[in-house]
Amino acid sequence: MSAIVFKPIGTVRTEATVVPRHWTVSQVEGTLLIDDAYQEGLRDIRAGQKIIVLFHFHKSQPFSAQDLIQKPPHRNEFLGVFSTCSPRRPNPIGLSVVEVLDVQGSALRVKGIDMIDGTPILDIKPWMTPDS
């Protein structure tokens, strides 16, 4: 199989020095700075909506076979990596759902960040519900 290469479309900016471990418990605000080349793709994103952000765990330790079973800090049991949200994964890709607070050009002000400052953004997708 050939290599799969991703190019970031932007970067997360936040002043928070500590972020929650998961977006479902986050009230942290920040900005998704999307490269200007992709600004037109943001045209239908509005304040108040939720979006899915796919990102790279760029500070995660390299994955090894010992990481197949992990104990999340909030659990009292060991789980297979694919049953966790751990940043230590075979492919260090993260997913968060954030609420859009404002859109200014290619900058999306959002709430619900669980990503550190400087995190590379790989993609944005709409948050869909059954009645969407």
Side-chain angles (χ1 to χ4, degrees):
M1 184 181 289
S2 61
I4 300 171
V5 178
F6 291 99
K7 178 184 173 206
I9 63 166
T11 306
V12 174
R13 290 291 174 221
T14 182
E15 294 180 9
T17 55
V18 176
V19 294
R21 187 164 175 79
H22 198 264
W23 59 269
T24 57
V25 295
S26 177
Q27 296 297 311
V28 174
E29 294 184 13
T31 303
L32 308 181
L33 294 177
I34 306 304
D35 292 342
D36 289 339
Y38 303 109
Q39 182 175 339
E40 187 66 22
L42 301 172
R43 74 178 199 168
D44 299 306
I45 295 179
R46 303 281 185 259
Q49 86 178 92
K50 291 185 179 180
I51 56 174
I52 299 168
V53 180
L54 298 168
F55 60 92
H56 178 231
F57 282 117
H58 67 297
K59 298 282 186 172
S60 180
Q61 297 293 320
F63 186 81
S64 69
Q66 293 88 349
D67 297 317
L68 287 170
I69 305 297
Q70 301 180 27
K71 184 188 168 301
H74 63 287
R75 302 286 294 267
N76 290 325
E77 61 185 319
F78 286 86
L79 301 169
V81 67
F82 301 121
S83 295
T84 75
C85 293
S86 171
R88 193 173 285 182
R89 322 186 63 74
N91 290 304
I93 298 169
L95 178 152
S96 295
V97 177
V98 297
E99 178 185 352
V100 178
L101 300 174
D102 190 32
V103 180
Q104 294 290 322
S106 58
L108 304 175
R109 185 84 181 142
V110 299
K111 181 169 86 172
I113 285 184
D114 63 346
M115 302 158 270
I116 63 172
D117 186 63
T119 296
I121 300 167
L122 301 175
D123 203 356
I124 296 172
K125 296 182 178 283
W127 173 255
M128 304 297 287
T129 61
D131 51 307
S132 294

